[in-house]
Amino acid sequence: MKSNINIDAIIIESVSHSYKTDTGLLPVLKKLNITIPKNGFTAVVGPSGCGKSTLTKLISGLLKPDNGHVYLNGEKVLGPKPIVGMAFQNPVLLEWRSIIKNVMLPLEIVPNNLSEIEKEERARSLLHLVGLEGFEGKKPSELSGGMRQRAMIAMALMTNPRLLIADEPTTALDVTTQAVILDLMRTIQKKFEMS
């Protein structure tokens, strides 16, 4: 690890990433260098297809860069970390699971010492936080688009992340619901003091 890495920041250091296509490699990011400071909102803005989602997946450890390095809290990102929550563009909810079981899913994947009762209590608390109390037993198809997105945010918070990455979580929503989701994310950031 480099000695000049700020442990309170996300460091993107000479990162390049390409996707394999039928016609060859499609470069998306090339020698990208960014430092993202702690405690605040950082927005990455650009046209569709410029690499915003690729960047969020690299930071979260869902993708590995072809070249360069991503550092989080002074450590190289080599894969997904429980301190990072990810809210995707479209709610990634499993239709055969109830909303509460969807929200609990990250704790089935990430190692933890919580009992099933503690996991359910945490899920219920987060569903209350995002305004979905009373909908725990519903399936995703029984909720509106905004409600599904709020469930996705609750799911992203299940591991008590220090960093919440939101990959255009309001794109598919109407303007009023977008405002509700953005206000909710500001409230969550203040409540959890995320970096």
Side-chain angles (χ1 to χ4, degrees), residues 52-70:
K52 298 183 302 291
S53 293
T54 299
L55 179 61
T56 62
K57 289 175 185 168
L58 289 165
I59 294 169
S60 68
L62 295 174
L63 284 178
K64 293 183 181 177
D66 299 336
N67 295 296
H69 305 286
V70 177

Side-chain angles (χ1 to χ4, degrees), residues 13-193:
E13 187 177 82
S14 286
V15 166
S16 297
H17 190 78
S18 299
Y19 290 100
K20 291 179 183 174
T21 69
D22 292 339
T23 58
L25 288 178
L26 174 65
V28 179
L29 300 175
K30 187 174 180 183
K31 295 184 180 178
L32 183 66
N33 290 289
I34 302 174
T35 299
I36 301 172
K38 182 181 178 182
N39 293 331
F41 280 86
T42 299
V44 179
V45 180
S48 180
C50 74
K52 298 183 302 291
S53 293
T54 299
L55 179 61
T56 62
K57 289 175 185 168
L58 289 165
I59 294 169
S60 68
L62 295 174
L63 284 178
K64 293 183 181 177
D66 299 336
N67 295 296
H69 305 286
V70 177
Y71 295 92
L72 177 60
N73 292 333
E75 295 180 9
K76 193 182 295 183
V77 175
L78 301 173
K81 294 179 168 283
I83 64 166
V84 179
M86 181 85 173
F88 297 94
Q89 287 182 22
N90 296 307
V92 183
L93 302 172
L94 304 175
E95 184 55 39
W96 59 89
R97 294 178 71 127
S98 65
I99 292 302
I100 194 163
K101 291 294 184 184
N102 268 289
V103 170
M104 291 170 65
L105 182 61
L107 291 181
E108 293 175 25
I109 299 165
V110 174
N112 63 84
N113 296 322
L114 297 176
S115 69
E116 286 304 309
I117 292 171
E118 290 170 318
K119 291 176 189 176
E120 185 172 329
E121 285 174 356
R122 183 178 293 177
R124 287 185 185 282
S125 173
L126 288 169
L127 286 168
H128 174 75
L129 177 68
V130 299
L132 290 177
E133 192 170 26
F135 293 92
E136 296 88 349
K138 300 290 186 186
K139 300 287 191 217
S141 62
E142 298 178 280
L143 302 182
S144 71
M147 294 168 84
R148 287 193 298 270
Q149 198 63 48
R150 285 186 276 152
M152 185 73 216
I153 292 168
M155 188 176 172
L157 295 171
M158 270 304 282
T159 61
N160 283 334
R162 289 186 56 203
L163 170 66
L164 178 61
I165 298 174
D167 184 4
E168 299 185 50
T170 64
T171 301
L173 304 174
D174 62 79
V175 175
T176 303
T177 308
Q178 284 179 1
V180 169
I181 297 293
L182 292 173
D183 283 343
L184 172 63
M185 292 182 76
R186 280 191 276 281
T187 299
I188 289 167
Q189 194 244 354
K190 287 176 186 171
K191 180 177 175 63
F192 291 98
E193 295 183 352

